Amino acid sequence: MNNQHILQVSELTKKVRFILESELNSVWLCGEISNFIAASSGHWYLSLKDSKSQVRCAMFKGNNRRVRITPSNGQQVLVRAKVSLYEPRGDFQLIIEQMEDAGEGLLRQKYEQLKSKLEAEGLFSLQHKQTLPAHVQCVGIVTSPTGAAIKDILSVLKRRNSSIKAIIYPALVQGEHAANDISQAIAVANQRNECDLLIVGRGGGSLEDLWCFNEEQVVRAIFASKLPIVSAVGHEIDTTLADYTADLRAPTPSAAAELISQDGDILREKVQVLQQRLSHLIQRTLKDRHSNLSALQHRLAQVHPSQQLQIKQQRTDELTLRLTQAIHNNLQQFSQKPQQLSAHLLHLSPAKKVSALQEHVEQSKQRIINATTRNYQQKSKQFLHLIEELQIVSPLATIARGYSVTRNSKGEVVKQCDQVTIGDEITIQVSDGKISANVTATNEEKA
């Protein structure tokens, strides 16, 4: 426990939120709305559930403004959301970024996936677009022969240019078999080759109604067509994959008829508009390409061999200067080294040490002589002083004044008569020698 960092609750929720948001990112989720609340702040709070689980969700007003449906409890929806954690309560939740009706949402997701696939294959590329004939004499129409679209097209053609011949290639434009019908009608028109171009389309409707024009079969049939095709599906706000693939997109079937039946003035006006659009597109493309070119040139300049060579040359020059300076410094150090070694050797030379030692010996010798002389003089003075003191107390001095010292046979100084007996040999010391004698009498005997 002492070696582990103990987390605060807020630290734990912050770490869990970071892991969830960094690892899972965005997810697509289909579920039923429950507990829906539209807060006064403009945010939406709800739960998404299925038969086994549910999860809390929040959709902020910046995102829910783009939702085209009105959410309600019990409604099946498809959402794109980020996985997150509401830190104050530690609740797992989803932050919804996009919401659609489940059926339409799945179709739209399928639409986007197929669009990305076909775009990657180049089916929408401008280089594959065919130019519409300047003067249309016969137009083929692939649509339902009983729908409103065919009536609108024929009415416009009659009003604007009745000389244009129209051939109807009937096809279902809604339902399970519509895609196959449309593809076959386009193939038949190309096989007959009896018209200048084709109008493929129908009137407006929901995404499900128009779905056949998003089928891959129809898109590839339009792409493979040798006849130029004008796509006229739905209303102006409706955009299908057929519109991207066709050589020209018309916002409505009536507009398609007007586009192919224009008179000279309108045609020139249209050409001017297209010219402006093309010029704008070219300018924008050139600007983008110029920006890309500048970026590539900058990147190329960074990796170009000449640039790299210049960098390497500069680096070589720097290293050469550093090497020259280092060699110069080393030469200076090496040139000074013999002098330093000579001085150091001279400092460590035995002759110098011997000379110093000899001088030290001489100084020590002189100090010893001086000390010995001083000590001798001091001792001599002390000796003379002691002699003088000894002379003062010496028995010899007393003897010299006429006294004598008597010793018995044991060498003891005779101080009293009882120390000797008659017949003892004694020695008498006088100033100029010694006298040997025998004791013949003592004062005690005379008494």
Side-chain angles (χ1 to χ4, degrees):
M1 290 292 292
N2 293 333
N3 296 330
Q4 294 181 351
H5 173 63
I6 300 176
L7 295 175
Q8 298 292 328
V9 175
S10 58
E11 290 182 285
L12 176 62
T13 56
K14 189 178 294 293
K15 286 178 179 290
V16 173
R17 178 185 177 186
F18 175 77
I19 292 173
L20 289 174
E21 292 182 352
S22 60
E23 292 294 331
L24 295 179
N25 293 325
S26 295
V27 297
W28 284 94
L29 189 69
C30 185
E32 178 185 335
I33 295 177
S34 64
N35 302 319
F36 177 79
I37 297 175
S40 58
S41 61
H43 306 323
W44 291 350
Y45 300 97
L46 61 137
S47 295
L48 283 180
K49 67 178 184 178
D50 57 17
S51 59
K52 297 181 180 179
S53 302
Q54 67 176 358
V55 62
R56 291 178 179 271
C57 305
M59 189 173 193
F60 301 127
K61 63 180 180 181
N63 292 322
N64 61 34
R65 288 174 180 172
R66 298 191 295 269
V67 176
R68 296 185 297 176
I69 63 175
T70 302
S72 60
N73 291 327
Q75 183 178 7
Q76 289 285 337
V77 292
L78 177 72
V79 300
R80 179 170 60 85
K82 287 185 177 180
V83 181
S84 183
L85 186 83
Y86 184 56
E87 293 184 32
R89 288 198 305 268
D91 287 345
F92 171 70
Q93 68 175 5
L94 297 179
I95 305 300
I96 299 176
E97 298 177 339
Q98 182 179 339
M99 178 185 293
E100 297 179 351
D101 182 82
E104 184 176 344
L106 292 174
L107 285 178
R108 191 170 300 280
Q109 187 177 11
K110 183 178 178 182
Y111 171 90
E112 294 296 337
Q113 291 174 349
L114 182 59
K115 178 183 176 184
S116 298
K117 172 187 173 182
L118 297 177
E119 186 175 15
E121 292 182 19
L123 269 68
F124 305 153
S125 176
L126 292 176
Q127 65 182 4
H128 298 302
K129 304 297 183 186
Q130 301 183 66
T131 304
L132 299 184
H135 304 285
V136 178
Q137 297 179 355
C138 180
V139 58
I141 306 171
V142 178
T143 188
S144 171
T146 59
I150 187 64
K151 297 178 181 179
D152 292 340
I153 293 173
L154 294 178
S155 175
V156 171
L157 291 177
K158 183 178 180 181
R159 174 172 53 84
R160 292 178 61 84
N161 191 345
S162 58
S163 64
I164 296 178
K165 181 181 178 182
I167 300 176
I168 301 174
Y169 299 94
L172 295 174
V173 291
Q174 182 176 338
E176 182 179 355
H177 304 290
N180 187 56
D181 270 17
I182 295 171
S183 301
Q184 289 183 358
I186 293 174
V188 169
N190 276 271
Q191 183 179 2
R192 292 181 181 179
N193 195 24
E194 55 191 354
C195 53
D196 299 319
L197 57 81
L198 292 176
I199 296 177
V200 179
R202 58 154 286 165
S206 65
L207 181 61
E208 290 86 348
D209 295 338
L210 305 179
W211 187 250
C212 59
F213 293 94
N214 292 317
E215 294 282 0
E216 185 173 359
Q217 180 181 1
V218 173
V219 174
R220 294 193 181 277
I222 293 174
F223 182 78
S225 174
K226 301 299 182 181
L227 296 172
I229 293 181
V230 177
S231 176
V233 181
H235 301 299
E236 187 172 359
I237 59 173
D238 299 320
T239 304
T240 65
L241 297 180
D243 295 331
Y244 289 107
T245 315
D247 300 299
L248 181 65
R249 174 187 181 263
T252 62
S254 299
E258 291 182 357
L259 286 173
I260 67 170
S261 62
Q262 291 176 346
D263 57 27
D265 293 337
I266 298 178
L267 181 61
R268 281 191 292 271
E269 182 180 351
K270 183 63 177 177
V271 168
Q272 290 178 357
V273 172
L274 292 176
Q275 184 178 8
Q276 291 177 357
R277 290 176 59 186
L278 180 61
S279 177
H280 177 70
L281 179 61
I282 292 174
Q283 290 178 1
R284 186 175 64 184
T285 303
L286 288 176
K287 184 178 180 181
D288 293 341
R289 297 294 174 86
H290 185 267
S291 299
N292 292 336
L293 179 61
S294 299
L296 291 174
Q297 286 177 340
H298 178 71
R299 291 176 58 188
L300 180 61
Q302 298 299 319
V303 298
H304 195 276
S306 62
Q307 179 70 15
Q308 295 296 317
L309 183 60
Q310 290 178 357
I311 295 175
K312 297 298 183 183
Q313 288 175 342
Q314 183 177 0
R315 180 62 176 166
T316 302
D317 292 340
E318 292 177 357
L319 294 175
T320 302
L321 292 175
R322 289 174 56 184
L323 180 60
T324 303
Q325 186 64 34
I327 293 174
H328 178 70
N329 294 337
N330 288 337
L331 288 176
Q332 285 186 340
Q333 292 178 359
F334 289 148
S335 64
Q336 295 174 358
K337 196 69 174 178
Q339 297 178 357
Q340 295 175 354
L341 292 175
S342 178
H344 185 62
L345 182 61
L346 183 61
H347 177 70
L348 300 176
S349 174
K352 185 175 180 181
K353 287 188 175 182
V354 169
S355 176
L357 291 174
Q358 287 177 345
E359 183 178 354
H360 180 68
V361 168
E362 290 297 329
Q363 292 175 355
S364 299
K365 180 180 178 181
Q366 188 63 39
R367 287 199 299 271
I368 292 172
I369 292 173
N370 293 338
T372 304
T373 301
R374 287 194 301 270
N375 190 41
Y376 175 74
Q377 290 175 353
Q378 291 175 358
K379 296 299 182 181
S380 296
K381 290 180 181 180
Q382 292 176 0
F383 182 69
L384 291 175
H385 181 67
L386 291 173
I387 289 176
E388 289 176 356
E389 290 180 351
L390 184 61
Q391 286 293 337
I392 294 173
V393 297
S394 174
L396 295 178
T398 305
I399 295 172
R401 291 196 298 270
Y403 295 94
S404 64
V405 177
T406 303
R407 299 177 185 274
N408 60 19
S409 59
K410 295 180 181 179
E412 297 172 345
V413 177
V414 179
K415 298 179 182 180
Q416 296 178 351
C417 291
D418 60 1
Q419 288 182 264
V420 296
T421 60
I422 296 172
D424 288 342
E425 290 184 358
I426 61 175
T427 303
I428 302 168
Q429 185 175 356
V430 293
S431 62
D432 58 351
K434 294 180 180 180
I435 302 173
S436 297
N438 290 325
V439 178
T440 58
T442 64
N443 290 335
E444 292 180 345
E445 289 180 346
K446 288 181 179 180

